[in-house]
Amino acid sequence: MPPTAAELMTVNAARLLRDGETVFVGVGLPNLACNLARRTHAPNLLMIYEAGVVGARPSRLPLSIGDPTLVSGSTLVCSMYDIFTLYLQRGKVDVGFLGGAQIDRFGNINATVIGDYHHPVVRLPGSGGSMEMAAWAKRCYIITPHQVRRFPEKVDFVTSAGFLQGRRQREEVGLCGGGPQAVVTDLGILEPDERGELILTALHPGVSVEQVRANTGWNLKIAENLGVTQPPEDEELRILRLELDPQGIYLK
Amino acid sequence: MPPTAAELMTVNAARLLRDGETVFVGVGLPNLACNLARRTHAPNLLMIYEAGVVGARPSRLPLSIGDPTLVSGSTLVCSMYDIFTLYLQRGKVDVGFLGGAQIDRFGNINATVIGDYHHPVVRLPGSGGSMEMAAWAKRCYIITPHQVRRFPEKVDFVTSAGFLQGRRQREEVGLCGGGPQAVVTDLGILEPDERGELILTALHPGVSVEQVRANTGWNLKIAENLGVTQPPEDEELRILRLELDPQGIYLK
Amino acid sequence: MASKLCALADAISRNVADGDLIYAAGFTHLIPFAAGHEIIRQRRKNLVLARATPDLLYDQMTAAGCARKIIFSYMGNPGVGSLRIIRQEIESGRLEWEEYSHFGMISRLQAGASGLPFLPMNPTAATDLENRNPQYRRVVDPYSGKEVVVVPPLNPDVAIIHVQRCDVEGNAQIWGIIGEQKEAAFAARRVILTAEEIVSEEVIRSDPNRTLIPGFLVDAVCHTPYCAHPSYTQGYYDRDNSFYIAWDKLSERREEVHKYLEEWVYGVPDRAAYWEKLGPETHQRLKVASRLSLPVNYGEY
Amino acid sequence: MASKLCALADAISRNVADGDLIYAAGFTHLIPFAAGHEIIRQRRKNLVLARATPDLLYDQMTAAGCARKIIFSYMGNPGVGSLRIIRQEIESGRLEWEEYSHFGMISRLQAGASGLPFLPMNPTAATDLENRNPQYRRVVDPYSGKEVVVVPPLNPDVAIIHVQRCDVEGNAQIWGIIGEQKEAAFAARRVILTAEEIVSEEVIRSDPNRTLIPGFLVDAVCHTPYCAHPSYTQGYYDRDNSFYIAWDKLSERREEVHKYLEEWVYGVPDRAAYWEKLGPETHQRLKVASRLSLPVNYGEY
């Protein structure tokens, strides 16, 4: 069975993680990507949840970011204030995963509102911990399906900062985090160029540049050395399908 | 056996505590006074130690403020940052006990230095938690032997604030604590008047006004309704001598 | 030790008034649903409902007409989607709101708990929220000359905290996700505790480092088993994820929501009746096998 | 899990350099005397020794000539009197010092641990110390227009933390007085752990709420039973109060102090030899009967 769009994104996200890193994990695909990395090339990946759990070893798929399975058998549980001060603001988190309704040309994310803030057309959940994760995790990754409404030229509201209007603007604020390093979609991978603009750096096998451009809301630049991602290996798919999400809750 | 000076001070200090209060306790006589109050009129006195222990029930006399007997069987242990923020600065402490090398006319205390700060004649231990206790405990009490060198007109260094140069000056800072309410000595009790100046309000039985004035470094005022303290009761002395300090470490 | 044990209905009627600012604490874990339902039954109005994650409880209280305003940092049905009621009320302009990031929200509570006029946070470069919420301010760091972002204290009129175990005075122990329960208790003017178990003072004193809330802060102690359902209590029962998913569907239509409130809130006198009504299948589904902590030695001194 | 186990002598030689700012943590409890003695044996110089309560350990390190400067908030022999060596060195102008109240000192560590450029404290009206230590500054509260007192972060080069138990990676559990250990570990650039017991990962994971320091912060894990003597380890051995009293007498004369260092620091290779040398009577005197915490249930999920 060929990989689903979700499997493709999860496998490619997992490959971005390095052994021994600390990762601020969200539920859904980021959680699956981290667990896949732990079972393949990064056995010492340390998973941190904004709920205050460090070194989680979930024995089932958590629906929420505060599931009890994250706690039982974990290494450490602390308060939210501790997580945001001692871990995130102190610069102890290597990787953060972000999501949102809109991601723009410079990797800024909107998870707050479509339309005017004070007179919302669609009111979204808001920042949660993503404002700080985007600022202070050393590297951030975004996993999202590639649709034109999700990739506008400019987001309606900057819930969490990418490179603002360009890399220099982010640098002026002096954040300890390096900003978004990659957006993994079901069509390929976008990465920031030297100006901080997201450009297409890799396609998944069988996907065309035109497909990606048609699903992106700005005039997407293509990297000179545009690559093609390695297809998911059988072992990666086996772990995802049989061990991590046997009921296909997130991956179907 | 008549009461010793230390017993006299301890009994009179204990009587200033009310049932159900939270008390920030130091070692030595304040610890004895609190435990005496708990065994007499204030069984629900809650003892808090700056080391982070709440509801201590020491089963032996602690030498230091961080003795393990304070922890075993206590109600709650927390960090020092929590004790100083959540308990003291938040205004949750009713009574604090203070000590120091010098106490002046307006109840300011010096526990830092005799002589110039940068070229000390005698270097004392410093503030510890007393700067904040004096500011934020609702009421403060001082227990100290009555000697002229301990009661100068003006302290060399204000480690913790009494009424500064007068009550109004303290009020201008807007502290949540009411300042020193009494100084219990081996000769009697001093209390602040409406200007915040410490005046003699009670003598221990058998002590003369002249004795007190001779041992005070400023022109001590005498309260109009100068009282005489109730002598220690047999039961109070029995508890102190047989239960709390049977070896007479602090009371002899 | 003075007992503060009382019925939850009495605790709410004595401590929660119309117009109060309420903080029903818990990050996914230990959300005091029973207390929120009691507030609905007692028909409190014009409440300001503050919580990092409003969760279904504030959706229900908003649907029941208790809320004037909501203060939050993530307004979602965790892992499922949006909170439809609160979202509609905000989109239609019928509900005031005040919004932070999680860190901003938690810093407000920590400042409130600490008696501080503000707490600083490093800038995040994302200024849109800061520019729309005048409670955010900036202060110049006197050491570097750079700016930090600050928030003022949040001091709820009432904090409602669900705990695994406490004694009758309210000395409370919590384990598992401890979110912001301690901070909410210290920040609030009044504290209502609900507890899965009321234990003897000796149980608490056997492990003082486990105690997060000292009894002297607490106004009422209510023995309320299963208080947190459909949220959970670590070690006592599981999170009812299927209810969270069902609410997403149910809350699409207001009639359904009101039917739910009629049947499960107004239609039951208290949490015991609610739990009974859930039935043995649900009880069975949410049961949890035991996994005990290893002891530590405090020593006899 | 990567093991960081090593001998204390190796941990010190790799992680402590001349001139470093050291925070050997602990409020009366868990003071890492063995690590301080090892620093003396390795003849480190020009150290800045920071600690809320310097205790006898920094008195000894100062006597041995390790210290250039001391940062503190209470410089006493707790319950006994003054620290004679440090006091003399300060009075004679031979030792630099920087001084805070406890709250100021702890706020510096908390700011350092939080990555913040400062933390605020409410004014106390006692301004003499503030006026003499330029690290204290003032900031205007933007909500009230009133001033708060602020302190900058303290970020030690090395934190040395003694714990009851940890695993080989350094995930550490502490109970009893927890002072400022967690804050020191997060504030520091490098962390050395000494532990009474090295336990399996499963012991730690049986009670994650008990864990204060995550292993990924830790550079070295040293199995060092009785590390804290004459301080104590809750549940493991008692505080040696008679040593604290004896030090007060002994430290009146420098020759006696140097004799002590010769015999008990330079004259022993490590803590095991030191403990052995203390002899069975002292061992017996400091023994503690068991008093175990009652377990809590995390549940199998």
Side-chain angles (χ1 to χ4, degrees), chain C residues 21 69 71 97-100 104 108 117-119 121 129-138 149-154, chain D residues 141-143:
Chain C
L21 195 160
K69 179 176 175 178
I71 305 179
W97 79 96
E98 188 180 311
E99 182 175 5
Y100 300 88
R108 286 204 62 187
F118 67 86
L119 268 173
M121 300 176 290
L129 186 58
E130 193 184 332
N131 290 336
R132 282 165 182 80
N133 178 351
Q135 294 280 45
Y136 278 106
R137 302 271 169 89
R138 293 224 166 189
V149 179
V150 304
V151 287
L154 180 65
Chain D
D141 164 22
Y143 301 96

Side-chain angles (χ1 to χ4, degrees), chain A residues 55-57 72-75, chain C residues 291, chain D residues 173 201-208:
Chain A
R57 294 214 179 140
S72 288
S74 69
T75 304
Chain C
R291 178 172 178 157
Chain D
Q173 301 189 327
E201 190 184 358
E202 282 60 46
V203 172
I204 302 296
R205 288 180 184 269
S206 88
D207 197 356

Side-chain angles (χ1 to χ4, degrees), chain A residues 27 50-53 60-74 77-81 84-85 89 112 116-129 131-132 134-136 156-161 164 169-170 173-175 250, chain C residues 27-29 52 72-76 78-82 87 90-91 97-104 106-107 110 119-130 132-133 136 146 175-180 183 232 234 237-239 241-242 244-245 291:
Chain A
V27 288
E50 70 181 11
V53 182
R60 68 182 187 197
L61 257 185
L63 176 71
S64 81
I65 206 169
D67 195 273
T69 192
L70 300 175
V71 168
S72 288
S74 69
V77 177
C78 64
S79 71
M80 279 180 79
Y81 191 68
F84 280 95
T85 51
Q89 187 172 248
T112 301
D116 176 65
Y117 180 77
H118 293 292
H119 303 91
V121 177
V122 180
R123 178 59 229 206
L124 304 164
S127 164
M131 186 190 286
E132 287 82 19
W136 302 327
D156 291 11
F157 188 99
V158 178
T159 306
S160 59
L164 304 170
Q169 245 195 311
R170 182 182 169 105
V173 184
L175 305 177
Y250 293 105
Chain C
F27 190 84
T28 321
H29 183 209
F72 69 95
S73 48
Y74 182 85
M75 186 201 61
V80 177
S82 71
R87 180 179 153 186
I90 285 179
E91 286 173 359
W97 79 96
E98 188 180 311
E99 182 175 5
Y100 300 88
S101 70
H102 273 347
F103 189 32
I106 296 298
S107 291
Q110 173 75 15
L119 268 173
M121 300 176 290
N122 291 334
T124 64
T127 53
D128 280 3
L129 186 58
E130 193 184 332
R132 282 165 182 80
N133 178 351
Y136 278 106
K146 291 180 188 161
W175 56 97
I177 290 169
I178 52 174
E180 80 300 48
E183 294 80 358
Y232 69 101
Q234 187 89 34
Y237 43 94
D238 204 349
R239 189 167 189 265
N241 287 330
S242 60
Y244 278 82
I245 292 166
R291 178 172 178 157

Side-chain angles (χ1 to χ4, degrees), chain B residues 146 186-187 203-216:
Chain B
H146 215 130
D186 50 347
L187 299 181
L203 293 166
H204 294 316
V207 177
S208 71
V209 168
E210 289 61 41
Q211 244 179 300
V212 180
R213 292 181 65 111
N215 284 286
T216 304

Side-chain angles (χ1 to χ4, degrees), chain B residues 60 66 117 123 128 132 158, chain D residues 73 75 91 99 101 128 232 238:
Chain B
R60 67 182 188 197
Y117 180 77
R123 178 59 229 206
E132 287 82 19
V158 178
Chain D
S73 47
M75 187 201 59
E91 287 173 358
E99 181 174 8
S101 69
D128 280 1
Y232 69 101
D238 204 350

Side-chain angles (χ1 to χ4, degrees), chain D residues 134-159:
Chain D
Q135 293 281 45
Y136 277 106
R137 303 273 169 90
R138 292 224 167 191
V139 154
V140 174
D141 164 22
Y143 301 96
S144 71
K146 290 181 188 161
E147 286 183 342
V148 295
V149 179
V150 303
V151 286
L154 180 65
N155 290 110
D157 294 303
V158 191

